[in-house]
Coordinates of all heavy atoms in Angstrom, one line a residue:
F138 N 8.4 1.7 7.0 CA 9.4 1.3 6.0 C 10.7 0.7 6.6 O 11.4 0.1 6.0 CB 9.8 2.5 5.2 CG 8.9 2.8 4.0 CD1 7.9 3.7 4.2 CD2 9.1 2.2 2.8 CE1 7.1 4.0 3.1 CE2 8.3 2.4 1.7 CZ 7.3 3.4 1.9
R160 N 17.0 0.4 0.0 CA 16.1 1.4 -0.6 C 15.1 1.9 0.4 O 14.9 3.1 0.6 CB 15.4 0.6 -1.7 CG 15.1 1.4 -3.0 CD 14.4 0.5 -3.9 NE 15.1 0.3 -5.2 CZ 15.0 1.2 -6.2 NH1 14.2 2.2 -6.1 NH2 15.6 1.0 -7.3
H264 N 2.0 5.4 2.8 CA 2.7 6.4 2.0 C 3.4 5.6 0.9 O 4.0 4.5 1.1 CB 3.8 7.1 2.9 CG 4.8 7.9 2.1 ND1 4.4 8.9 1.3 CD2 6.1 7.8 2.0 CE1 5.5 9.4 0.7 NE2 6.6 8.7 1.1
S265 N 3.4 6.1 -0.3 CA 4.1 5.6 -1.4 C 3.7 4.1 -1.7 O 2.6 3.8 -1.9 CB 5.6 5.7 -1.1 OG 6.3 5.8 -2.3
R266 N 4.7 3.1 -1.7 CA 4.3 1.8 -2.0 C 3.3 1.3 -0.9 O 2.5 0.4 -1.2 CB 5.5 0.8 -2.1 CG 6.2 0.6 -0.8 CD 7.6 0.0 -1.0 NE 8.5 1.0 -1.6 CZ 9.8 0.8 -2.0 NH1 10.3 -0.4 -1.8 NH2 10.5 1.8 -2.5
L267 N 3.4 1.9 0.3 CA 2.5 1.5 1.3 C 1.2 2.2 1.2 O 0.2 1.7 1.8 CB 3.2 1.7 2.7 CG 4.5 0.9 2.9 CD1 5.1 1.2 4.2 CD2 4.3 -0.6 2.7
K269 N -0.1 2.4 -1.9 CA -0.8 1.4 -2.9 C -1.4 0.3 -2.0 O -2.5 -0.1 -2.3 CB 0.3 0.8 -3.8 CG 1.2 1.9 -4.5 CD 2.2 1.1 -5.4 CE 3.5 1.9 -5.7 NZ 3.5 3.1 -6.3
N288 N 0.7 10.0 -1.6 CA 1.7 9.9 -2.7 C 1.9 8.5 -3.2 O 3.0 8.0 -3.4 CB 3.1 10.4 -2.2 CG 3.1 11.8 -1.6 OD1 4.2 12.2 -1.1 ND2 2.0 12.5 -1.6
S289 N 0.7 7.8 -3.5 CA 0.8 6.4 -3.8 C 1.2 6.1 -5.3 O 1.7 5.1 -5.6 CB -0.5 5.7 -3.4 OG -1.6 6.2 -4.1
C291 N 1.7 5.3 -9.2 CA 1.5 4.2 -10.1 C 1.1 2.9 -9.3 O 1.8 2.5 -8.4 CB 2.7 4.0 -10.9 SG 2.6 2.6 -12.1
E303 N 6.0 7.5 -13.3 CA 6.2 6.0 -13.3 C 5.1 5.3 -14.1 O 3.9 5.6 -13.9 CB 6.2 5.6 -11.9 CG 6.5 4.1 -11.7 CD 6.8 3.7 -10.3 OE1 6.1 4.2 -9.4 OE2 7.6 2.8 -10.0
R307 N 7.6 0.2 -16.2 CA 8.7 0.5 -15.3 C 8.6 -0.1 -13.9 O 9.5 -0.7 -13.4 CB 8.9 2.1 -15.3 CG 9.5 2.7 -14.1 CD 11.0 2.7 -14.2 NE 11.5 2.8 -12.8 CZ 12.6 3.3 -12.4 NH1 13.5 3.7 -13.3 NH2 12.9 3.3 -11.1
I308 N 7.4 0.0 -13.4 CA 7.2 -0.5 -12.0 C 7.3 -2.0 -12.0 O 7.9 -2.6 -11.1 CB 5.8 0.0 -11.4 CG1 5.9 0.0 -9.9 CG2 4.6 -0.9 -11.8 CD1 4.7 0.7 -9.2
F312 N 10.2 -3.5 -9.8 CA 9.6 -4.2 -8.7 C 8.8 -5.4 -9.1 O 7.5 -5.4 -9.0 CB 8.7 -3.3 -7.8 CG 9.5 -2.0 -7.4 CD1 9.2 -0.8 -8.0 CD2 10.4 -2.1 -6.3 CE1 9.9 0.3 -7.6 CE2 11.0 -0.9 -5.9 CZ 10.8 0.3 -6.6
W315 N 5.9 -7.0 -6.8 CA 4.8 -6.2 -6.2 C 3.4 -6.7 -6.6 O 2.5 -6.7 -5.8 CB 5.0 -4.7 -6.4 CG 6.0 -4.1 -5.6 CD1 6.9 -4.7 -4.7 CD2 6.3 -2.7 -5.5 NE1 7.7 -3.7 -4.1 CE2 7.4 -2.5 -4.6 CE3 5.8 -1.6 -6.2 CZ2 7.9 -1.2 -4.3 CZ3 6.4 -0.3 -5.9 CH2 7.4 -0.2 -5.0
W356 N 6.8 12.0 -10.3 CA 6.9 10.5 -10.5 C 5.6 9.8 -10.2 O 5.2 8.8 -10.8 CB 8.0 10.0 -9.6 CG 8.4 8.6 -9.7 CD1 8.4 7.6 -8.8 CD2 9.0 7.9 -10.9 NE1 8.8 6.4 -9.2 CE2 9.2 6.6 -10.5 CE3 9.3 8.3 -12.2 CZ2 9.7 5.6 -11.4 CZ3 9.8 7.4 -13.1 CH2 10.0 6.1 -12.7
H390 N 7.8 14.3 -2.3 CA 7.3 12.9 -1.9 C 7.7 12.7 -0.5 O 8.9 12.5 -0.2 CB 8.1 11.9 -2.8 CG 7.6 10.5 -2.7 ND1 6.4 10.1 -3.3 CD2 8.2 9.4 -2.2 CE1 6.3 8.8 -3.1 NE2 7.4 8.4 -2.4
Ligands
GTR501 C1 9.7 4.1 -5.9 C2 8.6 3.5 -6.7 C3 7.3 4.1 -6.4 C4 7.0 4.3 -4.9 C5 8.3 4.5 -4.1 C6 8.3 4.2 -2.6 O1 10.9 3.7 -6.2 O2 8.9 3.7 -8.1 O3 6.2 3.4 -7.0 O4 6.4 3.2 -4.4 O5 9.4 3.8 -4.6 O6 7.5 3.3 -2.2 O7 9.0 4.7 -1.9

Side-chain angles (χ1 to χ4, degrees):
F138 278 94
R160 215 179 239 275
H264 168 62
S265 208
R266 70 197 69 182
L267 302 179
K269 310 180 207 298
N288 307 173
S289 61
C291 179
E303 186 172 31
R307 152 85 203 206
I308 206 167
F312 305 103
W315 282 4
W356 184 241
H390 188 74

